Amino acid sequence: MKKKTVILSLLLVCGLRAGAQVVCGAGVCDVQALQAEMRENRELYGDNYTAYQTPRGVLSPAPEGYVPCYMSHYGRHGSRYLIGKNVYERPYEVLKEADEKGMLTALGCRLLGQLDTIRRDARGHIEELTLRGAQQHRGIAERMYRNFPELFSGNQKIDARSTPVVRCILSMANETMTLQGLNPQLEIAMDASAGDKYYLIYDDEQLRKERRPKGSRADSALTAFEQRHYDPQRLMNALFKEESYWREAVRNPWQFAAVDIWKVVADMQSTELRHTMPMDGYFTDEEMYNLWLIKNAGWYVSHGPSPLNGGRQVFFQRNLIRNIVNTADSCLALIEGRPCGDPQGTVAPLAASLRFGHEVVVMPTVCFLNLNGYGEQFADLESLAANGWHDNRIFPMASNIQMVFYKAGISGNTGKSGLSGKTGETAKPILVKVLLNEEEAMMPQLTPVTGCYYKWQDVKDYCLKKLATFSGEEPQ
């Protein structure tokens, strides 16, 4: 059986209900079905503005004798307003000037009125979390509590960290407060410090420069792809009365339509205005699909494994990978009753490490781990959709990675970890499964013990060896 078919088969076996959504593994995707799904749910056109989609998969049971003992998590903030005041003002000012000169069509006047309402609604809330964003994290917390009661019952200890950005802090607060409300006994510590940014959102200046240097292979490929997939002329003629006017007055029509207008339309789903002010009539379904293809390709090159710029962007958040490995090992040592520097056993292990940040961290981390084949390399940008590389499946608003660790030899809830804590009680290995946006994910580069359950040692070795190929460090 070919590798691509194996990935798809395992995805279906490991919890996704048939018919729930378009199921794509690396190299396997029905593009026509994908387009039909997007027409049915236009939020999916939104790229990184796509609202969190409630998971539909059924979690598979753990191997016999195993129960959850620890969770390592990274989550993106929930739905938000757009970043930067100008993102609202720039298209509004272009249309306002045209209106003053009598150059707007009826559709253009409609858009001008909507942009005025939207910018007023966003005033004072630029880049902040919206109500929908808060609700997304409350829902995630409720399902987390329901899916893994062993981790969130009793007086378990939870450590929560956020980047010092208000929307991320509020996302953390909504998630942890919901957990606390479900179980008042939880001991939850929260922090949002610049001191944690080195692993919560690391900025590698050199890798950033390698993404799309002007005139590079990556830049040339993306520019050609963008021009091939979207022409703004239809929309511009629909908004302005005279083509000669917009060609002279709008400095960059492609930027105006495919970026400025598109962003406002795509992010409308984040706000409560979505209930009363639909932003339809500006882009056709075909145009929205092609604009998604453009954004998808851009993210693949900038934060994914694209060979067009050397395939190194997956290492951008390598400090997070190290933090996940080291924190997990420390917590597991306590859980197994072999604490380092705590011979009396006075330090209670964590049940969960919850980290909150941004999509620019989720994306390279998913690709580094190669979850569901998202770390696969494709030189041809035209092949991404057919090969199942869909960014809106990776990092919608409130996207999250949950690594759930399992230990065998449970003898009841005898401590804060819910484990017996007796050293040598079992020789069975620690297992881990990874949930991507609460759906069970596969790591096709590794052999699972069963289903989507992997030996932690195998996952750890994979991470350390891969890190060593970038940094030159010896695997630890």
Side-chain angles (χ1 to χ4, degrees), residues 47-225:
D47 195 61
N48 61 318
Y49 301 112
T50 296
Y52 193 73
Q53 306 295 299
T54 302
R56 306 181 199 181
V58 178
L59 298 186
S60 59
E64 185 176 357
Y66 277 88
V67 297
C69 62
Y70 170 67
M71 175 188 288
S72 186
H73 158 284
Y74 190 98
R76 182 193 182 191
H77 58 76
S79 290
R80 57 163 170 78
Y81 288 94
L82 294 172
I83 295 177
K85 177 182 177 182
N86 287 339
V87 78
Y88 294 105
E89 297 296 337
R90 191 165 51 239
Y92 170 77
E93 291 297 335
V94 170
L95 293 175
K96 182 172 179 289
E97 181 179 349
D99 184 47
E100 292 170 351
K101 296 179 179 179
M103 285 291 115
L104 287 186
T105 64
L107 185 67
C109 289
R110 173 177 178 253
L111 179 57
L112 175 62
Q114 289 184 321
L115 287 175
D116 189 31
T117 300
I118 293 167
R119 74 190 186 100
R120 292 174 186 274
D121 177 67
R123 192 168 293 164
H125 300 290
I126 299 299
E127 75 181 48
E128 290 182 359
L129 194 73
T130 63
L131 173 61
R132 191 174 195 185
Q135 292 170 337
Q136 289 160 354
H137 282 280
R138 293 172 199 162
I140 291 169
E142 290 172 358
R143 290 186 294 274
M144 193 182 290
Y145 178 83
R146 184 173 66 246
N147 289 336
F148 305 106
E150 300 89 347
L151 301 180
F152 299 104
S153 61
N155 58 335
Q156 302 276 34
K157 289 185 66 175
I158 310 294
D159 182 72
R161 306 289 179 99
S162 167
T163 61
V165 177
V166 173
R167 62 184 178 275
C168 300
I169 296 171
L170 289 177
S171 295
M172 173 177 68
N174 275 278
E175 201 157 309
T176 54
M177 288 175 64
T178 300
L179 288 170
Q180 191 83 74
L182 291 166
N183 177 15
Q185 295 184 64
L186 288 174
E187 298 179 26
I188 303 177
M190 289 191 290
D191 196 12
S193 170
D196 290 327
K197 288 178 67 175
Y198 76 94
Y199 70 88
L200 288 177
I201 182 168
Y202 182 63
D203 184 19
D204 188 313
E205 183 178 358
Q206 178 56 42
L207 280 182
R208 187 157 33 84
K209 290 179 179 178
E210 294 177 9
R211 286 175 181 164
R212 188 180 178 176
K214 189 173 182 179
S216 66
R217 183 184 175 204
D219 182 53
S220 298
L222 279 171
T223 299
F225 190 86

Side-chain angles (χ1 to χ4, degrees), residues 59 105 120 159 173 192 332 349 355 357 378 413 422 430 471:
L59 298 186
T105 64
R120 292 174 186 274
D159 182 72
L332 293 171
R355 309 169 184 85
F378 307 104
N413 189 12
K422 295 180 182 179
I430 296 289
S471 64

